[in-house]
Amino acid sequence: MLQLKNLSEPSLLVDLQKVRGNIARMAEKCHKHKLIFQPHFKTHQSIQIGCLFKEAGVNAITVSSLAMAEYFAADNYSHIHLAMPPIASQAARLQQLARKTNLSVNISCTAHLQALKNTDGISVFIDLDPNYGRTGIDIANHNLIAALVDEVEQSTHDMAGFYVHNGTTYQQPGATKQLHQNALKAIVLLREKLSYNGPVYFGDTPGCSTAQSFEGISHLTAGNFVFYDLMQAQFGSCSEEDIAVCMACPIVEKHHEKQQIVIHGGAVHFSKEQLISPSQTAHFGQLVHLHNEGWSTLQPNCHLISLSQEHGIMQLSQSVFNSCQVGDFVGVLPVHSCLTAHSMGKYVSFDGESIRTMNL
Amino acid sequence: MLQLKNLSEPSLLVDLQKVRGNIARMAEKCHKHKLIFQPHFKTHQSIQIGCLFKEAGVNAITVSSLAMAEYFAADNYSHIHLAMPPIASQAARLQQLARKTNLSVNISCTAHLQALKNTDGISVFIDLDPNYGRTGIDIANHNLIAALVDEVEQSTHDMAGFYVHNGTTYQQPGATKQLHQNALKAIVLLREKLSYNGPVYFGDTPGCSTAQSFEGISHLTAGNFVFYDLMQAQFGSCSEEDIAVCMACPIVEKHHEKQQIVIHGGAVHFSKEQLISPSQTAHFGQLVHLHNEGWSTLQPNCHLISLSQEHGIMQLSQSVFNSCQVGDFVGVLPVHSCLTAHSMGKYVSFDGESIRTMNL
């Protein structure tokens, strides 16, 4: 069992019960809506956390880099979708990977298809942009999409489906429901125009967590929901209780005149992802009290307001400030769990187990 | 030798000639001003890069975490200064480390000294704050400093010196010279008041890179100068040519209507450290052209303007945009090399060598 008093450095605690709960809820949603659950593993980046998905019946996954695909392929997933377009210099690595697992990749232009020309057995998904503005063909540009479908069908590669990341829900957090419906409508329209009945992968955490309609979608590929974080709680994707990771950081100084503590926990632990709270405070995390089995509710007016490389400054309420001592570990829920998990590279569970990722 | 065309994923390129130049320049400055060079290794976090410091005569180093101290102790440095206060649960690890190397730690209050009570052979530096507001006793509070000195002298631990991180130069980049002088004056005054002639560690990169006076200081402990970055160049700490690390990222899409490219290079590669350029553009990096021996000068009006976890969007000038093809690797100089190096966890040199850090 975890003994807080034995922690000797900043540590990313993971509550595996919450992780199991988050996975089970999304798996149940997929079951209810007849979606295939092919979660994105970019958030946790860990074979050990991946095993909790396997327990929930997951055997096909989504990843965001070739290195991540290679890492998880070693744990024998039946299908790995690499949601990133290939480049020519990756051909040998992709080919090797395709011998281990059913491999698919995103493409959005002829150049991506050409990058696969010396490979075989790699199927492709066409990346579509539902007005997010990052990657993919404009989902409303049916002619351009149809032209690329034709190109794929004339190539040696299987046209396996469409991939839609509805990142618009991150751009307008108050409008998740509407933005989700907009994306679904665009997908349904595309299906009609192209007379297409095959797979459509879809997966932003805000939309997938809250929506009750998934018309037009065949596979759910969200990722962040495994841990959630303060940003998702603020977006309404989850409740505060669903957040499954928490930084544990020692207090290194108390500043009475400013009612602040300095923690050993900086940009290399949290990342510099910032959140503007409803009270207009810009912050990098919020304090919880730690105990050996978990953590408390969020403490009001207790935010991580400043980060340098290894240090963080927390502005506290009077009562929390009074209860803190130099040398104690405080908990801080992260703004963006994907980046915190990547920065930390490993987790500690409340069983006291060290959980590794591909990064450490 | 590095062959750009063989790169198959986002990679952090390091120009070891520039690294050697940056180290040599700071070593020469130390020699000229009769300072002991005890560089901070938090920027590169690599035993292999550390060897370039050894070649320049460095054998005593500064680090920012216990894990980092343990990592470098394995490479036999004669003295490791851990610029972070100890906590009680670290006693066993600290004790083991103190058997391998001369170990010193920062303290700024009685609680830190008490955390060392079950250890021996660990000397202490008192952390002083030159009006930066992060950690340390206010450097002007001579009575409080003297009281802690007394406490240390009555303990079983050696009072080895004072540690001053003049982070004020990061808060007011235009005023480096004045802020450096202010810190020196405060140190000289403290020496007089306490009749103190021992070591004073000092080391912000902006001040140490530009100043020609180091009165009152005995050891120079700067760290970032090994690589520098766009922030330091903007501060005037270095020229653009001194920046020794560069992200190489493949172009995954071109967006003609917006004159933008999307790269595989996101928050997990660059970190989310932002810089406001003189033209008021907020950005995460700036484009350079790559070749097999190095990279070009910074390309004007070519900035990394947006980051998600794995993707970055770059706004380009017309001519650079026209010259870019999907699948090409572009170079991007980072805003904050310490965080980029930490996020990446490894480097590739122009000799084609893979250089590891403690994080991968």
Side-chain angles (χ1 to χ4, degrees), chain A residues 76-148:
Chain A
N76 302 315
Y77 286 91
S78 64
H79 174 199
I80 297 182
H81 177 64
L82 171 52
M84 188 65 81
I87 52 175
S89 58
Q90 292 174 334
R93 290 172 68 182
L94 287 166
Q95 190 60 69
Q96 195 170 7
L97 195 54
R99 289 199 187 98
K100 278 194 189 165
T101 184
N102 290 310
L103 179 66
S104 56
V105 299
N106 274 359
I107 71 161
S108 57
C109 63
T110 306
H112 299 150
L113 200 53
Q114 284 171 345
L116 291 176
K117 70 180 173 199
N118 294 323
T119 68
D120 61 77
I122 299 170
S123 57
V124 302
F125 280 70
I126 295 181
D127 186 14
L128 302 180
D129 179 13
N131 210 24
Y132 176 36
R134 191 177 69 184
T135 63
I137 304 176
D138 177 2
I139 195 166
N141 195 335
H142 301 148
N143 291 339
L144 194 57
I145 297 167
L148 190 55

Side-chain angles (χ1 to χ4, degrees), chain B residues 52-216:
Chain B
L52 304 185
F53 282 91
K54 284 187 174 179
E55 287 171 16
V58 167
N59 218 336
I61 65 171
T62 306
V63 299
S64 53
S65 72
L66 178 50
M68 205 184 295
E70 291 166 338
Y71 169 78
F72 283 110
D75 200 37
N76 302 313
Y77 286 90
S78 64
H79 174 196
I80 297 181
H81 177 63
L82 172 52
M84 188 63 80
I87 51 175
S89 57
Q90 292 174 333
R93 290 172 68 181
L94 288 166
Q95 190 60 68
Q96 195 171 6
L97 195 54
R99 290 200 186 97
K100 277 195 188 165
T101 185
N102 290 310
L103 180 67
S104 56
V105 298
N106 273 359
I107 69 163
S108 56
C109 62
T110 306
H112 299 151
L113 200 53
Q114 284 170 345
L116 291 175
K117 71 180 172 198
N118 294 323
T119 68
D120 62 77
I122 299 169
S123 58
V124 302
F125 281 71
I126 295 179
D127 186 14
L128 302 179
D129 179 14
N131 209 27
Y132 175 36
R134 191 177 68 184
T135 62
I137 304 176
D138 176 3
I139 196 165
N141 194 336
H142 301 148
N143 291 339
L144 193 58
I145 298 167
L148 189 56
V149 170
D150 283 348
E151 253 189 273
V152 177
E153 286 174 345
Q154 285 158 33
S155 78
T156 58
H157 298 279
D158 279 347
M159 165 64 201
F162 292 107
Y163 184 91
V164 182
H165 174 59
N166 188 22
T168 61
T169 57
Y170 287 87
Q171 294 168 324
Q172 287 177 259
T176 304
K177 199 171 175 178
Q178 186 59 52
L179 294 166
H180 181 79
Q181 286 305 319
N182 292 352
L184 295 193
K185 272 184 207 161
I187 291 167
V188 169
L189 187 62
L190 178 77
R191 284 190 178 278
E192 288 170 13
K193 291 281 182 178
L194 270 61
S195 302
Y196 176 76
N197 288 310
V200 173
Y201 284 22
F202 187 90
D204 63 301
T205 283
C208 291
S209 297
T210 55
Q212 293 304 327
S213 160
F214 293 89
E215 196 190 351

Side-chain angles (χ1 to χ4, degrees), chain A residues 1-5 7 11-20 49 243-248 288-296 329-333 347-355:
Chain A
M1 300 302 288
L2 177 69
Q3 294 292 324
L4 278 179
K5 65 178 168 46
L7 285 181
S11 305
L12 182 57
L13 305 180
V14 60
D15 184 326
L16 295 179
Q17 279 307 103
K18 292 187 180 194
V19 169
R20 285 193 177 92
I49 303 281
I243 300 174
V245 286
C246 176
M247 280 298 303
V288 292
H289 296 299
L290 297 173
H291 50 88
N292 286 334
E293 293 82 35
W295 53 80
S296 74
F329 276 72
V330 289
V332 185
L333 297 194
Y347 312 88
V348 179
S349 78
F350 284 92
D351 299 328
E353 185 193 13
S354 180
I355 296 177

Side-chain angles (χ1 to χ4, degrees), chain A residues 7-11 247-253 261-265 269 290 310 312 325-331, chain B residues 84-87 89-90:
Chain A
L7 285 181
S8 59
E9 60 191 356
S11 305
M247 280 298 303
C249 297
I251 300 173
V252 298
E253 279 195 14
I261 54 173
V262 183
I263 60 173
H264 182 190
H269 307 99
L290 297 173
E310 294 270 354
Q325 302 305 327
V326 169
D328 291 350
F329 276 72
V330 289
Chain B
M84 188 63 80
I87 51 175
S89 57
Q90 292 174 333

